[in-house]
Amino acid sequence: MHFLRNLIILFLICIAIKINLCVPTIPSSLKTLPIDGHFDFKQVHHAAKDFGNRYSFLPSAVLHPKSASDIATTVKHIWEMGPGSHLTVAARGHGHSLQGQAQAHRGVVINMESLQGPKMKVHTGNFPHVDVSGSELWINILHETLKHGLAPKSWTDYLHLTVGGTLSNAGISGQAFRHGPQISNVRQLEVVTGKGEVVNCSEKQNSDLFYSVLGGLGQFGIITRARISLEPAPKMVKWIRVLYTDFATFAKDQEMLISGESTFDYTEGFVIINRTGLLNNWRSSFNSNDSAQASHFKSDGRTLFCLELAKYFNPEEMAIVNQEIMTSLSQLNHIPSTLFQSQVSYIEFLDRVHISEIKLRSKGLWEVPHPWLNLLIPRSNIHIFAQLVFGNILTNTSNGPILIYPVNKSKWDNRTSVVLPEEDVFYLVAFLSSAAPSSTGSDGLEHILSQNKRILELCEIDGLGVKQYLPHYSTNGEWRSHFGPQWEAFVHRKSTYDPLAILAPGQRIFQKGFG
Ligand code: FAD
């Protein structure tokens, strides 16, 4: 009896030692680091939350840096502790990740929004650009650059995201067909690597690091500054929507619009199936009080496809722009009675999702689980995908919008880390679902997740050559298959810039101690 008890105690001690070996403990040395900002070891819960509302990993400390040097000092310290410390570091931009990507279980989260770098600086002239902090929100960049009559060329649909957060992925919206994603519109970066070095990089200087970081899922360095290309900003936007019942016609028109010299500055599309409710509507540009307009968007059991276009202009160009739009629209094959137009300011257009955010927040519908699924689908397989999914796996779009639009691969730089399908044109298909908390019905998390799983399985079985955007996997094998032929290069870059795998543990690609 005595022997058995001792054996159990010994066993428990062994487990405790083993757990202790693998679980990082925050060293007191962090407290004595010479930094201008500070560490918080108590108020850390905020850093264990994100927009996805599904994953929560509590860090042991949150760094509120004042400078890039604070970040470098911290990462260098952890790098010098070696693999035995098991400590990891996650940069947290605006926390709009979906699956814990900006979290660090028992590690250090860097609250990028505390960073106080040099002020945002707009450079006018032949090659206009703006120098910003990696923690800057795109909405602030818009406001600042507009003071100079300029603006970035490529956007995301929602602007309350940080530069570091979107450049770690790609940054895609309706302008990408012409300008490429946001990662195609960056000239220079300042980066803190996984060894705690502060490195400036661009196409000409430390170019491998530059391209590694762009679309690099935060794996190679923390972006502390970025230089972003600008163009003259328009004052106004003609915002247009037309509807289709036939997917083939819709896709043909979309592809025609993104090839060659399009009149339009922005092209997106979305799917409407048995649409009801506010959630489905949250990207809507049109006033739902207008009953005549709203009735056209009721699909009554059918699947409709909505093409969304925008044309930028200045008031003095109004007449000529109207003429150009008429000519371009006459080449489309939408349902003739469904042409909806509105005219808004450039800011109103770009910041459109924020209006919906305010509405959803007021109804308690913003901070709910978001089981989003974003796919990049080769053009040659988009028809079969649409046939299998819309109206079949997916019989309504009441849980949130479904975006679908093509982009040109030629506008993406193949030196970056981003993983794309193997065709010249591919579609972004984004299932932007919100789940009703604690519902077990078709608006509940379990149902939406199983729907996502079926869609992914179908892509796999039919060999559609689909890649996930904002990818998330739990096993090494899945990551390898996501990267495909790019895996070796990705691993090589990781071993060069973050050999101890300290950075971005929330992506679950590498374990600390790698290399
Ligand atoms: P976080 O969630 O804080 O971080 C995201 C990842 O980037 C993490 O891995 C983090 O460690 C890393 N990271 C953060 N800051 C840095 C840094 N400075 N340096 C290096 N790594 C860093 N995406 C699109 O492309 N197009 C869209 O139209 C679009 N619309 C969206 C709309 C909404 C409402 C939401 C919630 C998201 C949308 N996204 C879109 C996705 C969005 O681009 C990503 O989720 C992005 O990562 C969020 O930025 P963030 O600042 O909140 O980053």
Side-chain angles (χ1 to χ4, degrees), residues 38-115:
H38 68 279
F39 282 99
D40 196 328
F41 298 93
K42 291 207 175 92
Q43 310 287 328
V44 296
H45 289 84
H46 178 64
K49 276 195 77 171
D50 60 28
F51 181 79
N53 247 307
R54 292 175 49 214
Y55 291 79
S56 179
F57 301 106
L58 211 57
S60 294
V62 174
L63 168 65
H64 297 273
K66 279 209 173 139
S67 60
S69 146
D70 283 0
I71 298 175
T73 303
T74 305
V75 176
K76 188 157 200 278
H77 182 71
I78 294 172
W79 153 253
E80 284 172 352
M81 285 162 63
S85 83
H86 292 283
L87 262 189
T88 55
V89 175
R92 184 179 200 274
H94 207 48
H96 278 53
S97 287
L98 297 155
Q99 286 138 319
Q101 285 93 336
Q103 300 181 26
H105 180 54
R106 299 201 184 193
V108 177
V109 168
I110 302 182
N111 180 37
M112 294 300 292
E113 290 186 316
S114 311
L115 191 62

Side-chain angles (χ1 to χ4, degrees), residues 217 417-420 466-473 476-487:
L217 306 174
S417 294
V418 79
V419 177
L420 303 175
V466 169
K467 293 293 176 191
Q468 275 193 44
Y469 177 57
L470 311 172
H472 176 78
Y473 297 104
N476 185 269
E478 288 168 328
W479 276 113
R480 276 171 182 261
S481 133
H482 169 74
F483 283 103
Q486 283 164 254
W487 174 247

Side-chain angles (χ1 to χ4, degrees), residues 115-133:
L115 191 62
Q116 301 167 358
K119 264 190 78 184
M120 194 178 341
K121 191 158 186 333
V122 177
H123 301 261
T124 54
N126 286 347
F127 301 101
H129 58 266
V130 58
D131 289 324
V132 298
S133 160

Side-chain angles (χ1 to χ4, degrees), residues 91 93-97 101 156-157 162 165 168-169 171-172 223 469 507:
H94 207 48
H96 278 53
S97 287
Q101 285 93 336
T156 45
D157 293 346
T162 66
S168 298
N169 289 293
I172 315 174
I223 300 168
Y469 177 57
Q507 300 280 9

Side-chain angles (χ1 to χ4, degrees), residues 190-481:
E190 179 190 80
V191 169
V192 175
T193 68
K195 299 178 193 170
E197 299 157 334
V198 184
V199 184
N200 279 305
C201 55
S202 65
E203 188 186 2
K204 298 263 152 49
Q205 188 191 8
N206 300 309
S207 66
D208 186 61
L209 176 62
F210 181 65
Y211 291 114
S212 300
V213 168
L214 295 173
L217 306 174
Q219 292 299 315
F220 310 109
I222 296 172
I223 300 168
T224 45
R225 298 215 39 93
R227 174 167 290 181
I228 293 154
S229 292
L230 302 175
E231 65 179 2
K235 292 205 167 49
M236 300 296 295
V237 175
K238 288 263 181 202
W239 196 353
I240 296 159
R241 286 183 176 189
V242 291
L243 293 177
Y244 297 76
T245 44
D246 174 44
F247 182 77
T249 315
F250 166 71
K252 192 164 168 243
D253 278 359
Q254 279 199 318
E255 287 172 25
M256 186 267 287
L257 284 164
I258 68 152
S259 67
E261 286 300 303
S262 173
T263 305
F264 296 102
D265 297 290
Y266 162 104
T267 303
E268 286 199 7
F270 53 90
V271 186
I272 307 169
I273 318 171
N274 283 332
R275 169 192 183 125
T276 52
L278 181 64
L279 271 179
N280 181 264
N281 243 341
W282 66 267
R283 282 175 185 237
S284 179
S285 50
F286 294 93
N287 186 353
S288 53
N289 295 334
D290 180 337
S291 55
Q293 260 186 14
S295 69
H296 278 94
F297 286 87
K298 288 214 174 75
S299 57
D300 296 328
R302 289 171 307 165
T303 300
L304 293 176
F305 303 97
C306 178
L307 174 64
E308 182 176 60
L309 302 164
K311 172 78 183 159
Y312 301 161
F313 71 102
N314 289 316
E316 62 276 15
E317 302 155 346
M318 180 91 111
I320 176 123
V321 160
N322 279 338
Q323 192 51 51
E324 274 175 32
I325 291 175
M326 289 300 287
T327 311
S328 297
L329 288 177
S330 69
Q331 291 159 20
L332 301 180
N333 294 297
H334 55 90
I335 308 168
S337 61
T338 60
L339 169 62
F340 309 105
Q341 295 200 54
S342 64
Q343 190 170 299
V344 291
S345 74
Y346 184 54
I347 293 193
E348 245 180 288
F349 173 70
L350 289 179
D351 201 23
R352 60 201 177 276
V353 174
H354 187 53
I355 310 290
S356 307
E357 174 185 356
I358 294 167
K359 269 192 228 158
L360 290 176
R361 274 191 193 281
S362 73
K363 294 192 161 34
L365 293 173
W366 187 255
E367 289 185 2
V368 296
H370 292 106
W372 286 12
L373 178 66
N374 286 273
L375 304 174
L376 303 174
I377 304 179
R379 170 174 55 181
S380 63
N381 288 327
I382 195 68
H383 296 269
I384 179 154
F385 179 88
Q387 200 181 358
L388 292 167
V389 175
F390 305 138
N392 287 312
I393 294 183
L394 223 105
T395 50
N396 70 65
T397 51
S398 303
N399 292 331
I402 300 175
L403 308 184
I404 178 163
Y405 56 93
V407 289
N408 296 308
K409 194 173 179 175
S410 60
K411 304 288 179 186
W412 296 61
D413 195 312
N414 63 12
R415 292 169 288 185
T416 66
S417 294
V418 79
V419 177
L420 303 175
E422 277 172 12
E423 283 184 21
D424 292 345
V425 171
F426 57 89
Y427 279 73
L428 172 73
V429 182
F431 299 88
L432 307 179
S433 309
S434 298
S438 58
S439 163
T440 51
S442 64
D443 57 352
L445 184 60
E446 286 314 312
H447 176 84
I448 299 170
L449 286 175
S450 76
Q451 217 164 42
N452 290 350
K453 194 162 165 256
R454 280 180 68 200
I455 293 171
L456 286 171
E457 279 167 1
L458 180 145
C459 294
E460 192 63 36
I461 292 164
D462 285 66
L464 300 187
V466 169
K467 293 293 176 191
Q468 275 193 44
Y469 177 57
L470 311 172
H472 176 78
Y473 297 104
S474 19
T475 69
N476 185 269
E478 288 168 328
W479 276 113
R480 276 171 182 261
S481 133

